[in-house]
């Protein structure tokens, strides 16, 4: 497979993942599926916009760049040094690094939030974080410490888990594109992969 085709495949996969991350982060603003009266009662990590910025916005640009590489692919530029294919692949590597950092940001924020647990109304009628070091993950009985919003624990846990998995997959895909882009930069998109079947220089 040519490196441009590989990049297009990665870009097509990153787009829906970015949308999932964006949507998951939006839903976190509605704990338990309900509108909250005071935004100060939302978990702090929600305001870091890990899914919106990290897995969302910062992932859309690399994905679009990856998709656009196919337009310059294979036989249309094989042997044509002026087509700038190698430079395009090198540029895609830079965007892949940006995407990797964005996904990593979302991954870390999600992991911290899952370990910390959600902010909620506790038994002493104050809002705070009743869980410590992820203790609630192995003991569902502790969930009763959160009295309000209703179902905030499974809600936050599910959505941040989605962001965690999404960020992890995006990091892997961007890392693959870094390698793919470097291969395309060093050996070209056609000659090394045999796409055109020619023996001329790339």
């Amino acid at each position: 497979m040519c490196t441009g085709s590989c990049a297009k495949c990665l870009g097509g996969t990153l787009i829906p993942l970015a949308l999932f991350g964006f949507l998951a982060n939006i839903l976190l603003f509605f704990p338990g599926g309900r509108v909250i009266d005071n935004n100060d009662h939302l978990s702090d990590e929600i305001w870091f916009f890990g899914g919106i910025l990290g897995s969302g916005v910062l992932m859309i640009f690399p994905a679009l760049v990856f998709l656009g590489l196919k337009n310059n692919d294979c036989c249309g530029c094989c042997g044509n040094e002026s087509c700038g294919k190698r430079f395009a692949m090198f540029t895609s590597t830079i965007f892949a690094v940006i995407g990797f950092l964005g996904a990593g940001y979302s991954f870390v924020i999600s992991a911290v939030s899952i370990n910390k647990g959600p902010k909620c109304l506790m038994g002493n009628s104050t809002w705070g974080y009743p869980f410590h070091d992820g203790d609630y993950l192995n003991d569902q009985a502790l969930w009763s410490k959160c009295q309000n919003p209703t179902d905030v624990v499974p809600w936050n846990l599910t959505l941040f888990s989605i962001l965690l998995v999404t960020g992890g997959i995006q990091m892997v895909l961007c890392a693959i594109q870094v390698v793919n882009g470097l291969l395309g930069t060093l050996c070209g998109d056609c000659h090394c992969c045999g796409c055109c079947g020619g023996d001329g220089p790339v």
Side-chain angles (χ1 to χ4, degrees):
M1 178 186 290
C2 288
T3 53
S5 298
C6 179
K8 182 179 180 180
C9 178
L10 294 174
T13 306
L14 287 173
I15 292 292
L17 288 174
L19 295 177
F20 281 138
F22 193 94
L23 179 60
N25 202 149
I26 292 296
L27 291 175
L28 284 168
F29 285 97
F30 305 94
R34 300 171 182 83
V35 178
I36 197 166
D37 296 331
N38 189 341
N39 287 336
D40 291 335
H41 295 163
L42 292 172
S43 298
D44 294 338
E45 291 75 22
I46 297 176
W47 296 102
F48 293 156
F49 302 109
I52 294 176
L53 294 178
S55 289
V57 174
L58 287 178
M59 197 57 58
I60 291 294
F61 294 110
L64 294 177
V65 170
F66 300 165
L67 289 172
L69 288 175
K70 180 61 179 175
N71 297 331
N72 243 354
D73 198 17
C74 279
C75 300
C77 73
C78 194
N80 184 357
E81 295 181 356
S82 65
C83 71
K85 182 62 181 179
R86 295 190 187 208
F87 178 76
M89 293 304 297
F90 175 73
T91 302
S92 76
T93 302
I94 297 176
F95 276 94
V97 171
I98 294 174
F100 182 89
L101 294 176
Y105 173 76
S106 178
F107 184 90
V108 170
I109 293 299
S110 301
V112 170
S113 182
I114 290 174
N115 183 67
K116 188 177 180 181
K119 178 186 282 188
C120 60
L121 181 64
M122 300 180 292
N124 57 3
S125 299
T126 61
W127 289 81
Y129 298 90
F131 309 119
H132 305 282
D133 298 325
D135 55 356
Y136 72 103
L137 296 175
N138 298 319
D139 189 356
Q140 192 168 339
L142 293 176
W143 294 11
S144 60
K145 290 184 177 181
C146 278
Q147 298 182 352
N148 197 43
T150 307
D151 297 326
V152 66
V153 178
W155 183 266
N156 273 33
L157 181 59
T158 299
L159 292 175
F160 273 117
S161 295
I162 291 175
L163 288 175
L164 185 75
V165 173
T166 299
I169 295 175
Q170 289 174 329
M171 289 171 67
V172 172
L173 294 180
C174 286
I176 292 174
Q177 178 53 28
V178 169
V179 176
N180 182 57
L182 290 176
L183 288 175
T185 301
L186 295 175
C187 71
D189 189 55
C190 305
H191 179 66
C192 278
C193 302
C195 241
C196 299
D199 297 325
V202 180

